[in-house]
Amino acid sequence: MNTYLVSVIENVKKKYAHEPEFVQTVEEVFTSLEPVIDKHPEYEKVDLLGRMVEPERMFTFRVCWEDDQGQWHTNTGWRCQFNGALGPYKGGIRFQANVYPGIIKFLGFEQIFKNSLTGLPIGGGKGGADFDPAGKSEAEIMRFCQAYMQALYRYIGPDIDVPAGDMGVGGREIGYLFGEYRRLKGAWENGVLTGKGFASGGSRIRPEATGFGAVYYLENVLRHEGEEIAGKTIACAGFGNVTWGICRKARELGAKVVTLSGPDGYIYDADGVVTDEKIAYLVEMRASGRNRVQDYADRFGVPFYPGEKPWGVKADVMMPSAMQNDVHMESARRIAANHVKYYIEVANMPTTNDALKFLMEQPGMIVAPSKAVNAGGVATSALEMAQNSERLVWTAEEVDRQLHQIMDTIYQMSVEAAREYGLGYNLVAGANIAGFKRVAEAMMEQGVF
Ligand code: 2IT
């Protein structure tokens, strides 16, 4: 192993032992980079890797909000401006009770390389709060978003840092965040946030972009194997925006999603989540704030497996699309035993590092990494920024065409990067290397700071 690379990883492990998700992603990304670091001894002198694992800056702030009974609550908010070498910091905001700096930093670190892969001018950032949106009223959500923006607005801007949604933050929350930013700044700077509603300057296709992009990526993988998407069964996790987009695009192309999951368990729909009614119901379930997938089983009369994950089902394609570390070693063994050929990560870091390594070693199994597969979401956010700065609105066809092209390019760049470094058909290493190269080049050009 390259001694410089090892020393940076060891340092992160020691220094950030209290942020295990961040340590996990640094280890995963940097381990893939060995042949690149071997080839570039000049990186050590300027401590390029040591600089990459330190955010350029990170804010922590208090967020106070009043509930419907007049009781006040205090939460913590964060925004990590991780790496701005390629453009304004860009990345979502996550509202979830378990959010802490280790989650924000793992997401921010992934975002640097993902954003680089899109080929668009966006740096990496991420934010969030340890606020649990489940069961909150509409008015409480609005007040929380307003309070969050009151703390954040002075640190962001269309050329500085452009937040978007992530878990717990969808179009509704972005609307409230944008409204408060506009009120505070007294200016129509709609390029400050992406994922806005269409009337507020949002882009066509942004809501479905992550799911559509994931399916476009999957099509590339299938083509490489001489297979077609039509007729394939897909096991998904989650039932949010991303899964909704996958269901729609899969149906359009003749495939079907057969599982959905939530914190309460998973459902198996042998006919597939393919009718308009079923697909629309996903949006309803998410908007209800109940965070339960059993509602789908009750409504459509399909089996529900309480407390279980869908990784033991037989399907052609697995697309973990819910959250980090959803697939552990035990699930990975079941996936391998079922001879699943395509393991396509969608959520950010859905697989533990040992499970990912195990799956990549399975003969005949193809593993694709989330930072490439889900990059269509942020890529379309960058297209939203472009439309906002041009004061123009592109058609859905135009945005979809560009999204499709970006996903094809990400796939090809990943394949070529792995091949260039003698790693064969390795989509995981290829994505890490291709993403890293562009950031490294920009950082080298801009001098040490
Ligand atoms: O993980 C992600 O890429 C996102 N949550 C979307 C980020 C964005 O800026 O659209």
Side-chain angles (χ1 to χ4, degrees):
M1 215 26 193
N2 183 289
T3 53
Y4 173 51
L5 194 62
V6 170
S7 77
V8 175
I9 294 175
E10 286 310 310
N11 189 41
V12 168
K13 278 186 177 166
K14 222 167 39 205
K15 189 169 170 186
Y16 296 115
H18 55 291
E19 296 176 350
E21 297 85 357
F22 176 56
V23 172
Q24 183 183 335
T25 181
V26 170
E27 233 185 329
E28 193 275 312
V29 173
F30 277 11
T31 306
S32 307
L33 299 180
E34 190 169 21
V36 187
I37 306 306
D38 281 343
K39 202 175 149 193
H40 290 277
E42 71 275 19
Y43 290 166
E44 181 169 1
K45 180 152 185 264
V46 296
D47 193 25
L48 189 82
L49 299 178
R51 285 193 281 138
M52 267 189 193
V53 296
E54 284 301 323
E56 290 182 12
R57 67 191 69 74
M58 183 158 168
F59 305 105
T60 306
F61 43 88
R62 184 170 68 201
V63 186
C64 302
W65 58 281
E66 189 183 18
D67 71 21
D68 292 343
Q69 284 70 48
Q71 174 65 51
W72 284 86
H73 300 266
T74 309
N75 283 94
T76 310
W78 292 271
R79 183 74 188 167
C80 176
Q81 299 181 338
F82 217 127
N83 192 308
L86 297 180
Y89 309 103
K90 182 86 198 83
I93 293 175
R94 177 175 291 193
F95 290 167
Q96 209 174 36
N98 67 1
V99 166
Y100 80 106
I103 298 267
I104 302 292
K105 283 175 63 186
F106 116 64
L107 291 164
F109 192 74
E110 285 281 295
Q111 201 82 46
I112 300 168
F113 305 100
K114 179 198 309 194
N115 293 5
S116 169
L117 275 173
T118 68
L120 299 167
I122 40 177
K126 204 82 189 192
D130 59 357
F131 169 76
D132 182 6
K136 301 294 188 296
S137 73
E138 183 81 26
E140 287 170 337
I141 295 284
M142 180 163 73
R143 286 196 293 273
F144 184 82
C145 290
Q146 290 172 339
Y148 188 88
M149 187 52 84
Q150 282 160 22
L152 185 65
Y153 84 99
R154 63 186 78 240
Y155 305 116
I156 61 176
D159 295 320
I160 301 169
D161 182 355
V162 183
D166 194 86
M167 291 166 79
V169 178
R172 175 182 67 170
E173 289 74 15
I174 292 294
Y176 295 147
L177 290 163
F178 175 56
E180 187 64 11
Y181 181 87
R182 193 168 73 75
R183 193 177 73 83
L184 291 163
K185 294 289 290 251
W188 180 262
E189 293 177 7
N190 66 354
V192 69
L193 288 161
T194 62
K196 301 178 294 292
F198 186 66
S200 299
S203 176
R204 294 293 186 205
I205 306 292
R206 178 64 190 89
E208 41 278 88
T210 310
F212 279 20
V215 175
Y216 295 148
Y217 187 101
L218 170 64
E219 279 193 287
N220 276 285
V221 173
L222 291 167
R223 203 172 301 127
H224 181 265
E225 301 303 301
E227 292 192 43
E228 284 187 13
I229 190 162
K232 293 278 182 293
T233 52
I234 302 173
C236 271
F239 62 91
N241 242 337
V242 175
T243 307
W244 168 77
I246 295 173
C247 290
R248 282 184 50 194
K249 186 52 76 176
R251 170 184 66 173
E252 190 188 315
L253 299 172
K256 64 183 183 191
V257 171
V258 292
T259 66
L260 305 169
S261 75
D264 52 333
Y266 82 91
I267 65 98
Y268 183 83
D269 185 343
D271 296 334
V273 187
V274 290
T275 63
D276 286 344
E277 192 191 357
K278 287 175 176 176
I279 290 173
Y281 192 64
L282 297 193
V283 179
E284 230 178 277
M285 283 201 306
R286 187 45 70 199
S288 78
R290 286 157 56 84
N291 207 14
R292 267 162 50 105
V293 78
Q294 188 179 357
D295 293 358
Y296 183 99
D298 294 345
R299 168 81 177 255
F300 298 107
V302 301
F304 169 66
Y305 301 90
E308 285 188 49
K309 293 182 186 294
W311 312 126
V313 306
K314 285 197 194 314
D316 300 311
V317 184
M318 294 275 156
M319 295 183 94
S321 34
M323 58 180 173
Q324 69 275 4
N325 290 331
D326 205 18
V327 178
H328 293 232
M329 222 23 214
E330 192 202 320
S331 309
R333 287 206 183 90
R334 294 172 78 183
I335 293 169
N338 278 336
H339 302 289
V340 172
K341 183 166 174 190
Y342 301 100
Y343 183 77
I344 311 292
E345 291 190 331
V346 186
N348 291 310
M349 202 169 75
T351 323
T352 61
N353 282 0
D354 56 347
L356 184 66
K357 186 164 176 287
F358 171 83
L359 291 169
M360 288 172 70
E361 285 164 2
Q362 296 308 304
M365 189 181 296
I366 294 170
V367 177
S370 56
K371 69 172 68 62
V373 177
N374 75 26
V378 75
T380 306
S381 278
L383 301 179
E384 182 171 332
M385 290 163 69
Q387 293 168 75
N388 292 161
S389 71
E390 286 187 319
R391 302 248 186 270
L392 284 176
V393 175
W394 302 348
T395 62
E397 291 69 30
E398 176 58 19
V399 178
D400 197 24
R401 187 189 63 76
Q402 292 202 32
L403 167 63
H404 203 145
Q405 193 178 335
I406 289 166
M407 294 314 299
D408 291 352
T409 306
I410 289 173
Y411 171 81
Q412 281 152 15
M413 277 171 41
S414 304
V415 170
E416 279 159 26
R419 198 177 292 145
E420 182 189 341
Y421 286 93
L423 300 171
Y425 187 65
N426 183 335
L427 298 171
V428 175
N432 286 331
I433 292 173
F436 171 82
K437 275 171 67 173
R438 188 164 167 243
V439 181
E441 199 178 312
M443 286 177 75
M444 292 304 280
E445 285 168 0
Q446 293 171 28
V448 182
F449 65 95

